[in-house]
Amino acid sequence: MTGILSVQGDFLEHEAALARLGEESFEIRSKEDAERDFDRLVLPGGESTVQRKLVGELGIYDALQRKIEAGIPVLATCAGLILLADYFRTLPVKVKRNAYGRQSASFHVDSEFSGVGSIPMTFIRAPCIELAENGVEVKSRVDGRITGVQFGKQIGIAFHPELDSDTKLLSYWLSIK
Ligand code: GLN
């Protein structure tokens, strides 16, 4: 059962993408939701400043932080990546918000994700990873910039697999137990 942080952003697309792969999910919108029993977590894209404000105000932070530190598989996309690195601080990478200039704020490429193969990657006002600390596996780069990493069971990516029909990356994440 996957819990999806659903205070803002594209959580519905994650729900739909997981449902296509037969994975049940529920929306985390309150402290009670965050304290439920679940074994995987998705942090979706959206607006990281809004998300972290709401997570704090709704009292969701501690329960999620505990779950992540306990080692459940996490998939953090775009704004979720920023939260995982800068707010929950469980992913030791340095993230740069809005790393692509206004001209190329949103774009789409097919590129290699290590262990998964070539996949479509949709970037929307995306961050990039400027620095990955020891122990962090770099899984993808686009134009020399790091766009995907894995650290234990946490996957942090700058793009949005839930918006593409290709399911390889989500299947890979679901295979992490
Ligand atoms: N630019 C957003 C932020 O900084 C992230 C964009 C996204 O999640 N697609 O939070």
Side-chain angles (χ1 to χ4, degrees), residues 45-49 77-79 82 97-98 124-127 160:
E47 196 50 52
S48 57
T49 47
T77 63
C78 211
I82 298 169
R97 287 186 68 197
N98 302 318
I124 303 167
R125 290 179 293 105
H160 289 272

Side-chain angles (χ1 to χ4, degrees), residues 4-141:
I4 304 177
L5 180 64
S6 303
V7 295
Q8 190 272 340
D10 75 335
F11 51 90
L12 288 176
E13 287 79 358
H14 277 281
E15 274 176 50
L18 289 174
R20 284 199 293 276
L21 293 170
E23 172 68 9
E24 269 188 80
S25 66
F26 73 100
E27 297 177 0
I28 299 173
R29 299 170 171 278
S30 66
K31 189 165 185 255
E32 291 67 39
D33 296 334
E35 285 169 350
R36 270 177 69 171
D37 194 21
F38 58 97
D39 44 25
R40 324 183 60 84
L41 173 67
V42 169
L43 301 176
E47 196 50 52
S48 57
T49 47
V50 177
Q51 290 184 3
R52 57 200 284 170
K53 183 166 179 284
L54 289 170
V55 165
E57 286 175 6
L58 294 165
I60 293 175
Y61 183 88
D62 288 343
L64 286 194
Q65 164 88 29
R66 269 199 303 277
K67 288 269 191 189
I68 301 168
E69 296 221 306
I72 64 168
V74 181
L75 177 66
T77 63
C78 211
L81 162 66
I82 298 169
L83 255 61
L84 201 58
D86 288 352
Y87 187 44
F88 291 110
R89 295 180 170 275
T90 55
L91 181 65
V93 299
K94 186 162 180 266
V95 174
K96 182 177 183 202
R97 287 186 68 197
N98 302 318
Y100 303 87
R102 249 197 302 165
Q103 300 302 320
S104 56
S106 299
F107 59 97
H108 185 90
V109 296
D110 283 286
S111 192
E112 189 71 17
F113 194 90
S114 171
V116 173
S118 179
I119 54 170
M121 299 181 180
T122 298
F123 294 83
I124 303 167
R125 290 179 293 105
C128 75
I129 294 164
E130 290 187 304
L131 184 80
E133 290 184 18
N134 280 348
V136 177
E137 189 186 349
V138 174
K139 303 289 278 184
S140 63
R141 288 178 197 269

